Amino acid sequence: MPPTHIAVLGGGLTGLSSAIHLARRFPTSKISLIERQDVLGGWVRSERVKLPQIGASVLLEGGPRSLRPNGKSVLELINLLKLQDEVITVPRTAAPAKARFLYIPKSYGSSGPSGLQRIPSSIFSMISSSLASVMLPAILFEPFKKANRPSNISDESVDSLFTRRFGETFARTFGSALVHGIYATDSRTLSVRAAFPAIWEAEERGWGSVVRGFLMPKKKKEMAEQETYEMGNVPDMMRGTSVYSFRDGMETLTKAMERKLQATPNVSITKNAHISGLKLLDNQEMEISHSQSTPIVASHVVSALPLHVLHNLMNGPQNIPLVPHLTKNPTSTVHVINLVFPSPPKDVHPEGFGYLIPRPPDGYPKTSNSFSGILGTVFDSCSLHEQDFPPTEDYYNAASHTKLTIMTGGPYPRPPLPLHLSSSECDVTPPFIWNLLDQLKVQLGRELPDPIYWRIWNNEACIPTLLPGHLDRMEEMKASLGLSSNGGPSDAISRGWRARLAVVGAGVGGVSVGDCVEAGRRVGREWV
């Protein structure tokens, strides 16, 4: 028997995806989506700003800004929501796809490369690269190293695996920069199995060698059911694409998801609702208390809330079954700073996608200083120039302005910043912006004009750090909910939550847009 009433807690990407796919799977079930803020979409924020100084408007992103075309669940949404005409793509042959950089400060060591360094995109470019002294020995000799994974571990940090197989310098230079760009955290604390399962599996497949594992063909996994996605012509659109986004930013996707839900008869959306409690009733239904109306009583619940928020809801006076590990993982706060300069990109930065910065050799500073804090920078005017410029314009050499985005925070000490602030709301540019500009000049190796616009987005506790052992802890959490490892009912179904509470989101699975959408797509399959 299908659920009678499903409550979806949280209207971010995972919550939106859950509601859409649950409405398709259970068209006769009532579905209530409850969101604390006055807008849906979670950390996805897009804003178009008119700048009279240059007679143009620019699109600013406060969260995720581009997608890779390998996430089939997102391609399916583009088809279902008819967003094909809104998509803009970056071909693999374009400069932003081929040119990505690392910035290595001189303080990282006098013997190695320093400054802005282009990351090789092929074995041939690696040979002539200034990074060859770090990359070539580590990669070429790794297949000949003895297998050295300890027999008594089932997980480890990204830094630990990279150091074992490629050496400490490679692990710090490339591993920490990679983790900065995706998880905004310290690679010494992040689970490699949870964050980069392909690397862990490659080491196993390659008899102890990561490189050998990636060169070997993968074994076909036995699957009881082949996943089918309704992608229409979208895969054809994505052929030869490196990354893609939407003409008016990532909110194009979340706003379209909201419109779809508003047009679905069995779905209701409640915004500005502070959820204050989740209670298991004697009849196995669940009661959700929130600030907008009387409590909702649902037969099934999907929590797409941050795990620590869910923990607080369950930590009330009511006697409810324990759900373990909800507060195990810490989170990273990321400050996203958009800058617009009154010069073409050629005067501001090299043509390419952007750069990441490894962690300092001596570790992260304990207190904020004038040189700490930047995780990486995206050259928006190159990476997705069609959001601001016509596709035929020679934007790099002749555009009226340059837009780029700096990411700061994560494992670095947190500066005192307001929640959101822009130059149009502030008469005096704060010292934080001037410090960033000073660092940017050093990293880009050139003088820069003063920006004509800046915008700060303070994304509080936006990315969970999945600590080693995360996957095992999530299996224990699912078992406590009455779910088995494959998502179906477990032996515990006769007690407690009876597999009627599903916990999903970035704190459970991956943190990418595709991971969140896929988690929502899969939720509730056992509710038949």
Side-chain angles (χ1 to χ4, degrees):
M1 182 176 177
T4 56
H5 187 180
I6 305 171
V8 179
L9 313 183
L13 274 168
T14 310
L16 286 169
S17 176
S18 298
I20 283 177
H21 289 291
L22 288 169
R24 300 183 74 211
R25 188 174 297 124
F26 303 113
T28 61
S29 301
K30 182 179 180 181
I31 298 173
S32 301
L33 177 64
I34 308 169
E35 167 56 36
R36 177 175 58 89
Q37 301 187 68
D38 59 354
V39 293
L40 302 180
W43 301 113
V44 176
R45 289 289 180 269
S46 308
E47 178 181 66
R48 189 169 286 281
V49 178
K50 291 183 179 179
L51 299 178
Q53 304 97 313
I54 56 174
S57 68
V58 296
L59 181 81
L60 306 178
E61 295 278 25
R65 63 198 57 247
S66 62
L67 301 162
R68 292 194 175 275
N70 55 355
K72 293 182 179 180
S73 56
V74 183
L75 302 185
E76 180 180 57
L77 277 182
I78 292 172
N79 179 52
L80 295 175
L81 302 173
K82 297 179 172 53
L83 296 177
Q84 288 90 331
D85 290 343
E86 304 298 321
V87 172
I88 55 176
T89 61
V90 177
R92 294 193 193 105
T93 55
K98 296 190 296 182
R100 296 167 185 258
F101 300 87
L102 281 182
Y103 175 72
I104 304 177
K106 292 181 180 179
S107 60
Y108 279 37
S110 58
S111 60
S114 63
L116 205 61
Q117 304 292 330
R118 181 167 174 166
I119 301 173
S121 56
S122 68
I123 190 66
F124 301 105
S125 60
M126 189 188 305
I127 294 172
S128 59
S129 169
S130 57
L131 294 171
S133 61
V134 177
M135 297 183 71
L136 273 177
I139 294 173
L140 292 180
F141 295 148
E142 192 272 346
F144 302 99
K145 275 188 177 181
K146 292 182 179 180
N148 60 355
R149 179 191 294 175
S151 59
N152 61 341
I153 67 168
S154 60
D155 196 3
E156 63 185 314
S157 72
V158 174
D159 187 77
S160 173
L161 186 146
F162 273 50
T163 299
R164 280 196 300 105
R165 298 308 308 168
F166 300 101
E168 188 277 334
T169 301
F170 184 96
R172 176 172 52 81
T173 304
F174 294 98
S176 69
L178 173 67
V179 169
H180 279 173
I182 301 175
Y183 283 87
T185 193
D186 186 344
S187 61
R188 296 170 295 185
T189 64
L190 183 68
S191 161
V192 69
R193 276 193 67 202
F196 303 104
I199 296 175
W200 179 270
E201 293 164 4
E203 185 183 17
E204 293 184 333
R205 189 168 58 250
W207 302 299
S209 166
V210 174
V211 172
R212 190 163 54 230
F214 275 118
L215 294 176
M216 293 174 63
K218 295 181 181 179
K219 295 180 180 179
K220 291 184 179 180
K221 296 181 179 179
E222 295 294 329
M223 297 183 64
E225 180 181 350
Q226 183 69 34
E227 281 290 319
T228 302
Y229 295 84
E230 299 179 39
M231 295 184 287
N233 69 332
V234 179
D236 294 332
M237 292 173 48
M238 297 297 174
R239 192 167 288 118
T241 292
S242 173
V243 296
Y244 70 96
S245 185
F246 303 92
R247 202 168 307 281
D248 285 312
M250 291 294 296
E251 261 195 76
T252 301
L253 179 63
T254 55
K255 287 180 177 178
M257 295 168 80
E258 180 178 2
R259 289 194 300 270
K260 175 68 174 177
L261 291 173
Q262 290 172 335
T264 304
N266 62 323
V267 176
S268 64
I269 300 174
T270 303
K271 301 179 184 178
N272 292 309
H274 173 73
I275 302 172
S276 56
L278 173 62
K279 185 177 181 180
L280 183 63
L281 304 177
D282 292 339
N283 63 357
Q284 300 302 319
E285 291 189 315
M286 285 160 278
E287 181 181 273
I288 301 99
S289 302
H290 65 90
S291 59
Q292 284 294 328
S293 66
T294 57
I296 292 174
V297 176
S299 62
H300 296 72
V301 171
V302 175
S303 174
L305 301 169
L307 296 189
H308 69 276
V309 174
L310 177 61
H311 171 81
N312 292 337
L313 293 180
M314 295 177 164
N315 203 26
Q318 62 269 19
N319 183 23
I320 61 176
L322 175 68
V323 178
H325 307 309
L326 296 180
T327 59
K328 178 65 177 178
N329 292 328
T331 55
S332 286
T333 293
V334 180
H335 317 292
V336 175
I337 300 92
N338 308 124
L339 296 171
V340 182
F341 297 97
S343 305
K346 70 178 179 64
D347 294 338
V348 176
H349 58 70
E351 192 170 14
F353 189 87
Y355 61 90
L356 295 172
I357 304 177
R359 75 167 182 268
D362 299 328
Y364 300 98
K366 301 298 183 184
T367 58
S368 182
N369 60 60
S370 62
F371 192 69
S372 66
I374 297 183
L375 302 169
T377 298
V378 178
F379 303 152
D380 296 301
S381 292
C382 280
S383 60
L384 291 165
H385 68 273
E386 288 185 45
Q387 290 176 335
D388 298 328
F389 308 119
T392 56
E393 184 178 340
D394 184 9
Y395 64 92
Y396 183 70
N397 292 295
S400 61
H401 63 277
T402 298
K403 177 182 68 176
L404 57 78
T405 300
I406 300 173
M407 275 70 67
T408 74
Y412 285 96
R414 179 177 178 177
L417 284 174
L419 201 59
H420 298 300
L421 187 66
S422 70
S423 54
S424 60
E425 304 166 304
C426 189
D427 294 332
V428 178
T429 302
F432 176 73
I433 295 294
W434 293 120
N435 281 338
L436 284 181
L437 288 169
D438 287 342
Q439 294 178 52
L440 198 62
K441 292 175 185 178
V442 172
Q443 292 165 7
L444 294 175
R446 63 182 77 185
E447 286 297 315
L448 298 174
D450 290 346
I452 56 174
Y453 189 85
W454 53 264
R455 176 82 154 91
I456 299 172
W457 310 76
N458 190 2
N459 298 323
E460 182 79 28
C462 61
I463 306 178
T465 297
L466 311 178
L467 301 178
H470 175 78
L471 296 182
D472 293 336
R473 290 191 293 272
M474 291 303 95
E475 290 303 318
E476 292 175 12
M477 183 197 73
K478 291 175 185 177
S480 75
L481 299 173
L483 294 171
S484 66
S485 59
N486 62 7
S490 74
D491 294 338
I493 193 170
S494 61
R495 65 183 187 275
W497 297 103
R498 295 176 61 86
R500 294 187 175 202
L501 170 63
V503 180
V504 293
V508 178
V511 302
S512 73
V513 171
D515 291 330
C516 293
V517 172
E518 183 66 36
R521 187 180 187 273
R522 291 175 178 269
V523 75
R525 291 186 176 185
E526 67 279 6
W527 296 341
V528 292

